[in-house]
Amino acid sequence: MSLTRVSFSMISGASINVMDFGATGNGVTDDTAAIQAAITYAEASATPPSAAPGVVQVYFPFGLYIITSALAVTKSLSFVGEGHSEYSTGARLIQNTTATNHFTVAPILAGCSVSWDDLTMTANGGGGSGGSCIYVGKGCNSVRIRGCTFGTPQSLAINLQGSDDVQIDGNLFDVSATNCISLGTSTAAN
């Protein structure tokens, strides 16, 4: 007997697959609601609610995911894409709304930890119109961004405000006409 995607996600410790929640990754359909539903489910299944990254993982299979609003994250999660992260292969997210982040992390508990691995994030049209691929607000204890590709984000590829224990490793930044990384502190904006 083979496992379906839905039954596989129900196995304790298995990744939460965005396709189990209706995401298509076909490059045409707006996958925002489906991905947000997967994130909400993953946050609800975290034990304890502030679990470290890797405990609850949101998985993006190979595909091109269209999003039209920021994906809201409030608890510790790990986001992982399938395959090599670059423009034409792997798991790719494209933000179609100007001045809008791909991910907005606003921790509800101190000590939140988040990570992104092997994802490509680009903006449709991009080029200095506001919004970041990854925006992490103050209060996040650990941020890890590894093996990701950032292509022409709207304003910043990564915008971290007051985060602690930051690892940014092995990423590709193709950010012509924009900035790569902004690191805030607890006393200054950027």
Side-chain angles (χ1 to χ4, degrees), residues 1 16 21 26 29 40 71 75 96 103 106 133 142 151 174 184 187:
M1 178 174 123
I16 307 300
F21 294 83
N26 65 11
T29 305
T40 301
L71 300 168
K75 295 182 183 174
N96 270 354
F103 292 91
C133 294
S142 176
D174 180 10
T187 58

Side-chain angles (χ1 to χ4, degrees), residues 6 47 138:
V6 174
T47 306
K138 293 180 181 177

Side-chain angles (χ1 to χ4, degrees), residues 121-133:
M121 291 168 256
T122 61
N124 188 10
S129 56
S132 301
C133 294

Side-chain angles (χ1 to χ4, degrees), residues 20-83:
D20 290 346
F21 294 83
T24 64
N26 65 11
V28 177
T29 305
D30 182 353
D31 288 321
T32 309
I35 296 169
Q36 188 62 61
I39 291 170
T40 301
Y41 178 84
E43 288 182 332
S45 65
T47 306
S50 62
V55 174
V56 180
Q57 188 178 82
V58 177
Y59 174 67
F60 292 83
F62 180 93
L64 177 59
Y65 300 89
I66 304 295
I67 56 175
T68 55
S69 63
L71 300 168
V73 181
T74 61
K75 295 182 183 174
S76 295
L77 291 179
S78 176
F79 299 95
V80 178
E82 176 181 25

